[in-house]
């Protein structure tokens, strides 16, 4: 059945209908209409999946997608046009252009933590660029997956875009087929499986993966504001955000002050009984809940620590100075546990940062411009912010993606359009002249050939 769906899309792409930008646009307009009409239902589905607060569902899922969709609808016609580039004397006379060509049949596999955003955003980018899409959302956010499947079915014929609901078996069955592009968002562990499978057919991939995102706070930082922005970015979605700060590296001289402010904002945002707050999400899967609970064993908890198995609730938790070899510091936390580690001087920072693979995000809170610049220049990471957290997601003009273990490729807005388009280079030569020097028998003196670089 999956093989049939893939074949249907393969045949459909060969009709060349999606090469017409107005054709794509008309479907994306319909999608826009359905997303607006179903926004409440989408938020309800997100709430059913993991009690995602309404505000967060709107602000971090539906509105982000609608904003990006609007931006793409406005610009896609322009982006689709071929671009003329400078010709060279070697080809004189010629007109040289770059064409944006859809890859063909795209597979999108998405995770559960922002199940709507991380499915619809790549889907929209792939359609805008003229591809067909099969989306496989996560099995751990079934209500959101269902509603996306319903909306997509209403808007697109299945040979153009369709949703395959299911888990690992469905994902594997999809991967067994040949794709023209695979876009995967999820863990680095599964990312490696996807990459291997794509390599079978030399299929290009985007891998949006995970990492241990540092948040550096130095003694020049505006501590109160830093604490407020860290608490927001870390505990949004109960810490299940790929770009959430994973751990804090704070200069010892301001450590106590920062901890005091972090505690203050935790209470101010969520109240003293956080389990009663309607503004705080839950852990999505039991496995992940157990893993997070285990990470707290033998740690010095400065705040929080309460876990309620029923409902998979984990209180926002601050942990003091965990060992680097503890399970808390081994890999990405991806939950509401926030280790706080003190450092003395700037020279101590690499000990921590270089202990981990290149992360997806890095945050630095500092008023020291030299320090800000140094951190940005010296370390590899997907992207980041100076003096805030997570908000890089809110600018569609910036490419969003990791580097090294945290991913391959960046998307959003025009970056998505470019990512899902092969850039085809075409030279159109004129026939009225044919410079003879490149043809055998070669009669040009060798010292002339050495000057050919001026022609390219
Ligand atoms: P995951 O890697 O377990 O699953 C992601 C998708 O892959 C799901 O659709 C799942 O069904 C499928 N899958 C799982 N195992 C598979 C296998 N063996 N073969 C084929 N397909 C398989 O990720 P998750 O738990 O759903 O999401 C959390 C992870 O995603 C975190 O590590 C987080 O950092 C990462 N993430 C990254 C980004 C980003 O933009 N870089 C965004 C969100 C989440």
């Amino acid at each position: 059945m999956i093989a049939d769906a893939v074949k249907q899309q393969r045949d459909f792409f060969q009709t060349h209908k999606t090469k017409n930008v107005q054709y794509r646009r008309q479907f994306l307009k319909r999608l826009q209409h359905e997303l607006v009409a179903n926004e409440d239902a989408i938020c309800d589905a997100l709430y059913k999946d993991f009690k995602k607060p309404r505000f967060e569902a709107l602000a971090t899922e539906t509105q982000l997608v609608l904003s990006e969709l609007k931006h793409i609808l406005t610009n896609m016609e322009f982006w689709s046009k071929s671009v003329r580039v400078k010709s060279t004397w070697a080809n004189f006379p010629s007109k040289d252009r770059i064409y944006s060509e859809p890859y063909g049949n795209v597979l999108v596999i998405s995770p559960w933590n922002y199940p709507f955003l991380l499915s619809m955003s790549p889907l929209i980018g792939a359609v805008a660029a003229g591809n067909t899409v099969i989306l496989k959302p996560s099995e751990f956010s079934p209500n959101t997956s269902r509603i996306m499947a319903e909306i997509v079915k209403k808007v697109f014929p299945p040979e153009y875009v369709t949703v395959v609901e299911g888990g690992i078996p469905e994902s594997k069955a999809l991967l067994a087929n040949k794709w023209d592009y695979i876009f995967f968002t999820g863990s680095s562990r599964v990312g490696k499986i996807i990459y291997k499978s794509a390599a079978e057919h030399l299929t290009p991939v985007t891998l949006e993966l995970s990492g241990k995102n540092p948040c550096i706070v130095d003694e020049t930082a505006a501590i109160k504001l830093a604490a407020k922005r860290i608490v927001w970015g870390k505990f949004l979605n109960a810490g299940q955000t790929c770009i959430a700060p994973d751990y804090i590296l704070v200069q010892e001289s301001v450590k106590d002050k920062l901890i005091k402010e972090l505690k203050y904002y935790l209470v101010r945002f969520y109240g003293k009984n956080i389990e009663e707050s309607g503004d705080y999400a839950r852990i999505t899967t039991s496995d992940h809940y157990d893993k997070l609970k285990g990470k707290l064993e033998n740690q010095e908890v400065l705040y929080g620590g309460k876990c309620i198995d029923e409902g998979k609730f984990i209180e926002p938790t601050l942990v003091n100075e965990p060992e680097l070899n503890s399970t808390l510091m081994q890999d990405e936390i991806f939950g509401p546990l926030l280790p706080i580690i003190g450092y003395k001087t700037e020279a101590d920072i690499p000990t921590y940062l270089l202990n981990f693979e290149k992360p997806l995000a890095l945050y630095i809170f500092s008023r020291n411009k030299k320090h800000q610049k140094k951190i940005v220049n010296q370390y590899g990471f997907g992207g980041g912010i100076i003096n805030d957290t997570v908000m890089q997601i809110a600018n569609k003009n910036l490419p969003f993606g990791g580097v090294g273990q945290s991913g391959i490729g960046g998307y959003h807005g025009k970056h998505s359009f470019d990512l899902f388009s092969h850039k085809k280079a075409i030279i159109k030569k004129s026939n009225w002249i044919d410079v003879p020097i490149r043809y055998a028998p070669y009669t040009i003196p060798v010292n002339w050939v050495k000057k050919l670089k001026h022609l390219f």
Side-chain angles (χ1 to χ4, degrees), residues 108-114 118 136-140 166-173 175 183-191 193-194 207-211 213 240-243 285 288 332 334 360 393 400-402 406-407 411:
V108 174
I109 300 177
S110 57
W112 50 260
N113 64 328
Y114 286 80
L118 299 175
K136 208 298 285 171
S138 174
E139 63 276 35
F140 297 117
I168 298 177
E170 287 74 15
S171 199
K172 284 189 168 161
L175 287 167
F183 186 103
F184 171 80
T185 307
S187 58
S188 298
R189 181 186 65 81
V190 179
I193 297 171
I194 307 289
L207 301 174
E208 296 284 335
L209 308 176
S210 45
N213 309 322
Q240 301 160 111
T241 302
C242 55
I243 49 172
T285 70
H288 191 48
E332 178 198 30
F334 207 57
L360 187 57
I393 191 89
F400 181 87
S406 59
Y411 73 125

Side-chain angles (χ1 to χ4, degrees), residues 27-92:
F27 279 97
L28 288 177
K29 284 288 275 182
R30 271 189 229 163
L31 179 64
Q32 185 184 39
H33 176 81
E34 287 303 321
L35 294 183
V36 171
N38 285 285
E39 192 169 21
D40 281 343
I42 296 162
C43 292
D44 291 345
L46 287 160
Y47 186 79
K48 277 189 205 147
D49 281 335
F50 57 112
K51 289 205 167 163
K52 182 147 187 157
R54 194 71 154 199
F55 176 87
E56 289 185 14
L58 290 166
T60 68
E61 306 246 18
T62 58
Q63 286 298 312
L64 273 185
V65 168
L66 285 169
S67 153
E68 187 174 26
L69 179 50
K70 188 166 171 247
H71 177 66
I72 285 178
L73 279 167
T74 309
N75 295 292
M76 59 188 282
E77 206 176 333
F78 176 63
W79 296 339
S80 310
K81 290 191 193 319
S82 64
V83 179
R84 179 115 185 241
V85 296
K86 229 174 129 188
S87 314
T88 55
W89 283 111
N91 279 312
F92 180 81

Side-chain angles (χ1 to χ4, degrees), residues 212 234 246-247 291-301 317-341 356:
K212 215 162 165 59
K234 174 68 185 183
D246 188 283
Y247 62 99
K291 212 170 127 194
L292 287 168
K293 217 169 123 178
K295 283 181 190 285
L296 278 180
E297 276 167 25
N298 305 321
Q299 297 294 355
E300 183 193 339
V301 170
T317 301
L318 307 180
V319 176
N320 193 31
E321 302 291 341
E323 297 286 337
L324 278 185
N325 61 5
S326 65
T327 55
L328 190 64
M329 292 306 290
Q330 292 276 289
D331 49 23
E332 178 198 30
I333 296 172
F334 207 57
L337 318 176
L338 182 55
I340 301 170
I341 299 167
F356 302 107

Side-chain angles (χ1 to χ4, degrees), residues 154-226:
K154 220 166 156 189
V155 174
F156 297 94
E159 63 271 23
Y160 188 3
V161 180
T162 193
V163 176
V164 171
E165 290 173 81
I168 298 177
E170 287 74 15
S171 199
K172 284 189 168 161
L174 284 162
L175 287 167
N177 293 274
K178 182 175 182 297
W179 296 93
D180 297 307
Y181 203 97
I182 299 176
F183 186 103
F184 171 80
T185 307
S187 58
S188 298
R189 181 186 65 81
V190 179
K192 287 179 189 168
I193 297 171
I194 307 289
Y195 207 8
K196 269 191 195 150
S197 154
E200 263 317 294
H201 298 287
L202 293 177
T203 300
V205 291
T206 293
L207 301 174
E208 296 284 335
L209 308 176
S210 45
K212 215 162 165 59
N213 309 322
C215 181
I216 302 164
V217 183
D218 77 14
E219 60 191 3
T220 69
I223 299 295
K224 201 168 170 63
L225 189 58

